[in-house]
Amino acid sequence: MGLPVSKDDLIDAVETYVSSSTKKPNPFIANRPGRHWYEGFKRRHPDLTIRTPQHLSHKRADVTQEDLQDWFEEQKNYLSCKNLLDISPTRVFNCDETNVALCPKSNKILTKKGSLTAYKITDDIKLGITVLFMYSASGKRAPPAILFPYKEKLPRNIIAKIPTGWGVGISDNGWMTSELFYEYMTNVFYPWLLQEEIEFPVVLYLDNHSSHLTMPLVKFYREKKIEIIGLYPNSTHIMQPLDIAFFHPFKEVWKKTVTRWKTEKNMKELKKEDVGTVLKQTLESMQEEDIIKNGFRTTGLVPFNPNAVDYDILNKKKEKSKQPVSASHGESIDLHLQKFQDNLSEVSPGLLHRLEKDLPTGSWTGNLENKALFEYWYRLRSSKTDSCNLKKKTYDQE
């Protein structure tokens, strides 16, 4: 139902249960389970893990597998008619905007035992800027664009430190507008395509935000042979490569880069004029190419493969089946796992061995960029184990 259980939710439920039950002994102080009970609960249920939930609107949660498969079929027919279905990954792009905090949330810190508080002096934690990213399916980054919240012109000290070739703009709230997106496409992205000698036409996958699809933009797309493909509405959480693979590791690296920058410069806050420099350092310290390629492959866009999408994400509202796992289901897990491992071996032979190393603990200790890949692979392995155990249990019962 999209309503996951937190630690407090669990403890509240147990407290309510033992307080209202006359048949169960109540061993808790003030009727409420403490830390030791919670740690014991996790040990008794090793199949559970702690995750940060992704927030989904009801519209996003209502998207079905059939909706996306129909979308894939429509796009396959359209791209085939245009002879654009199997073009080079260098000609396929995805762009999206994200908010970048000037004061990212801090990691956990060391402090003296018994301390009631642990403060860190920062600038305005709500202050952020919008950054537009554009990547090809080959992993190559087109110049990004940074949008600042100014009502009039941008200060010269900020412009002076924007990396060469990057886009920069302003709006009242720092968000993307149709005018700013038009300026980016005409003055940054298209000239970059010409400079890089990218073959036309190119394909650009976009969400359906109003700033991306205006009459002047549509006219420009047609004149310059930029083929726009709108992703299925409310599905970018599983269909947009940048959402799937890039933004999370980027923001983790951004957080570390900002902290290091402020330490080295002995500064209490990241100034707006330094955003371009720090952003450039962040991107240069990431393995962008591998991350982006994984994003396009996982979303089934490049190579074009509807079966690559993890449709299980769409079943959040559906009650899980309590029936024994059938042989066909177990076989599908085996097939999917084998296919995943074969593809991974072709892309990065050593990575599969690295994944196997962290399997017993279920905790990834390698590069941050591969954490999501490990978690996906770990779920596959766990599903296979659960399937085998359940089939054995069913056989023994029979």
Side-chain angles (χ1 to χ4, degrees), residues 2-217:
L3 299 172
V5 177
S6 68
K7 174 185 174 181
D8 288 340
D9 293 333
L10 172 65
I11 293 178
D12 288 344
V14 174
E15 179 183 7
T16 301
Y17 177 73
V18 298
S19 298
S20 60
S21 175
T22 57
K23 298 181 180 180
K24 296 287 184 180
N26 190 341
F28 306 126
I29 298 176
N31 297 336
R32 187 172 179 82
R35 177 173 60 86
H36 294 296
W37 180 88
Y38 177 70
E39 295 297 331
F41 176 84
K42 290 195 295 182
R43 287 194 297 270
R44 292 191 296 274
H45 299 275
D47 56 321
L48 300 180
T49 186
I50 305 300
R51 296 284 299 277
T52 300
Q54 180 182 4
H55 289 187
L56 290 179
S57 66
H58 286 292
K59 288 184 178 179
R60 284 192 172 194
D62 286 340
V63 176
T64 67
Q65 179 174 343
E66 290 74 19
D67 292 333
L68 295 187
Q69 288 177 332
D70 288 344
W71 179 89
F72 270 108
E73 187 64 26
E74 290 176 2
Q75 302 313 317
K76 179 180 179 181
N77 294 335
Y78 180 75
L79 292 172
S80 296
C81 292
K82 296 278 187 174
N83 294 319
L84 294 173
L85 186 61
D86 297 315
I87 59 176
S88 168
T90 60
R91 298 168 58 191
V92 183
F93 295 85
N94 174 229
C95 81
D96 195 19
E97 305 96 35
T98 189
N99 181 267
V100 178
L102 296 188
C103 181
K105 291 183 178 179
S106 302
N107 292 322
K108 293 183 179 180
I109 62 171
L110 291 172
T111 187
K112 192 173 182 179
K113 288 184 177 180
S115 299
L116 298 179
T117 56
Y119 295 118
K120 180 179 180 180
I121 299 176
T122 66
D123 49 330
D124 188 354
I125 59 175
K126 295 182 179 180
L127 189 60
I129 57 171
T130 298
V131 181
L132 181 147
F133 291 102
M134 175 81 75
Y135 281 90
S136 73
S138 65
K140 192 172 184 63
R141 169 173 30 97
I146 307 175
L147 308 181
F148 293 91
Y150 284 96
K151 293 186 177 181
E152 297 181 1
K153 63 181 181 180
L154 196 62
R156 291 184 178 180
N157 61 332
I158 293 181
I159 298 176
K161 290 191 175 183
I162 298 296
T164 303
W166 287 24
V168 61
I170 62 172
S171 65
D172 289 349
N173 51 19
W175 298 349
M176 179 61 71
T177 66
S178 57
E179 292 81 7
L180 288 174
F181 193 72
Y182 181 85
E183 292 294 327
Y184 174 78
M185 293 299 294
T186 57
N187 296 329
V188 179
F189 181 56
Y190 181 69
W192 178 83
L193 291 174
L194 297 177
Q195 177 185 328
E196 295 294 319
E197 299 181 345
I198 305 296
E199 181 183 351
F200 289 89
V202 299
V203 174
L204 174 56
Y205 287 99
L206 291 169
D207 61 36
N208 293 277
H209 193 274
S210 58
S211 64
H212 298 158
L213 297 170
T214 61
M215 287 301 295
L217 276 168

Side-chain angles (χ1 to χ4, degrees), residues 1-2 61-66 311-321:
M1 293 180 65
D62 286 340
V63 176
T64 67
Q65 179 174 343
E66 290 74 19
Y311 294 108
D312 289 340
I313 297 176
L314 300 173
N315 298 325
K316 292 182 181 294
K317 299 197 305 179
K318 297 178 181 179
E319 183 179 0
K320 291 184 179 180
S321 172

